[in-house]
Amino acid sequence: MQKKITTLAFLLTAICLTGCGKSDYQDYLGNSGNFSDYKGKWIIINYWAAWCKPCIEEIPELNHLAEKHADSVVLLGIDYDGNQAEKLQQNIDKLGITFPVLTSEPTEILHYQRPKVLPTTFIFNPEGKLHRTLIGPQTEQSLLDAMNL
């Protein structure tokens, strides 16, 4: 009987561990996920900073795009300054950001280089390949045009 219980415990532990794979990202609310979950959707990664005037100006456009096109587009933000916790939350609130903001950069996972200027927006096609890199403030329409939508 003891052997059956030990074997069952081992199997349950193995099943749990295989389901607990490492996530590609985590957002400021603690949600995590994998970019492969978004296959079939456009992924937009936007770098911003609370001190960047063009970034501030484009946030309402990004919010609108994320809300209006949620069925085909995933928009994720990254605080260029790498702020975390309370400071990150303050900046998100100050700018009125309503889309998810990541707590780390996915440069290695998505195979792109960290931008040197702001704002910078990376657009990945539904197959997960880098499609366009846009520098400067974007509008909802400029992003839709870049995705040919």
Side-chain angles (χ1 to χ4, degrees), residues 55-120:
C55 300
I56 295 166
E57 292 171 356
E58 78 175 350
I59 294 297
E61 294 281 332
L62 298 174
N63 286 338
H64 191 257
L65 175 83
E67 182 181 328
K68 188 175 175 184
H69 299 278
D71 59 327
S72 59
V73 175
V74 174
L75 179 66
L76 303 167
I78 297 177
D79 180 346
Y80 187 78
D81 294 327
N83 291 304
Q84 299 290 317
E86 188 176 323
K87 182 64 175 171
L88 178 58
Q89 184 65 57
Q90 289 172 353
N91 287 341
I92 290 167
D93 292 344
K94 178 181 172 184
L95 274 58
I97 295 172
T98 59
F99 49 87
V101 175
L102 304 182
T103 56
S104 63
E105 297 185 50
T107 52
E108 288 185 25
I109 294 166
L110 294 177
H111 309 290
Y112 69 92
Q113 291 188 358
R114 186 175 199 273
K116 296 183 182 353
V117 297
L118 291 176
T120 297

